[in-house]
Amino acid sequence: WDVLFHVDNQCRSDIGIMLEATKQDGNALYYGSDSIRKNKHAVITAVRQQGKALFHASCDLQSDKEVVLEAVKQDGSALTWASTSLRADKEVVLEAVKQNGAAFRCETRDLSVDKEAVLEEKGLAFRWASDELRADR
């Protein structure tokens, strides 16, 4: 995808070229034009391949629940780049934690006290669970 560094803006705005690039590496979205970064189909293609490509999406799409769910299903740590409201959305956080327990570090609502959320992930989530939940046997 680094080859996109060398292409002109017309190619970076071409949906066909950018879809093919993001299928191979979601981070190719970095080189996409603003119109590509605002294109829901292109962004979903990118985050399905590399969840952290959400970083390169437009703010509107970082606030789009469908896009963010796709990103966190691929990489829970993509929650970092979701909008504040989606980092507080229980469904989104549970998906992120299911994929990567460390996603609790990124959420804005304190789900570390939510037993369902902590039990959803079997490893790292316990590290960020509340003391009360850790003591619950």
Side-chain angles (χ1 to χ4, degrees):
W1 63 272
D2 286 331
V3 72
L4 292 172
F5 175 78
H6 302 287
V7 300
D8 63 20
N9 288 336
Q10 185 176 356
C11 288
R12 292 180 188 192
S13 296
D14 184 293
I15 189 69
I17 291 171
M18 293 308 299
L19 282 174
E20 284 305 311
T22 57
K23 283 179 190 175
Q24 294 176 33
D25 188 331
N27 283 316
L29 189 60
Y30 170 81
Y31 292 109
S33 66
D34 286 344
S35 65
I36 296 296
R37 292 175 185 219
K38 292 176 183 175
N39 182 295
K40 189 170 181 175
H41 181 61
V43 172
I44 286 178
T45 300
V47 300
R48 282 181 176 160
Q49 200 286 324
Q50 173 57 263
K52 291 179 184 175
L54 184 61
F55 175 78
H56 306 298
S58 70
C59 290
D60 284 345
L61 291 179
Q62 290 174 340
S63 297
D64 184 296
K65 190 170 182 176
E66 181 185 1
V67 171
V68 173
L69 280 170
E70 290 295 332
V72 300
K73 285 177 186 176
Q74 199 285 324
D75 185 340
S77 66
L79 187 61
T80 302
W81 296 288
S83 67
T84 302
S85 63
L86 289 178
R87 289 194 321 263
D89 183 287
K90 186 173 180 177
E91 180 185 3
V92 172
V93 173
L94 287 176
E95 275 300 324
V97 168
K98 198 184 302 183
Q99 201 286 324
N100 180 348
F104 265 133
R105 295 177 299 167
C106 307
E107 55 111 0
T108 58
R109 183 175 149 198
D110 192 7
L111 290 177
S112 67
V113 298
D114 185 310
K115 194 171 191 172
E116 177 189 359
V118 172
L119 292 176
E120 191 69 40
E121 202 280 334
K122 293 147 185 79
L124 289 173
F126 289 105
R127 183 176 183 185
W128 286 278
S130 67
D131 291 338
E132 178 184 331
L133 274 183
R134 281 193 251 157
D136 184 2
R137 306 241 181 231

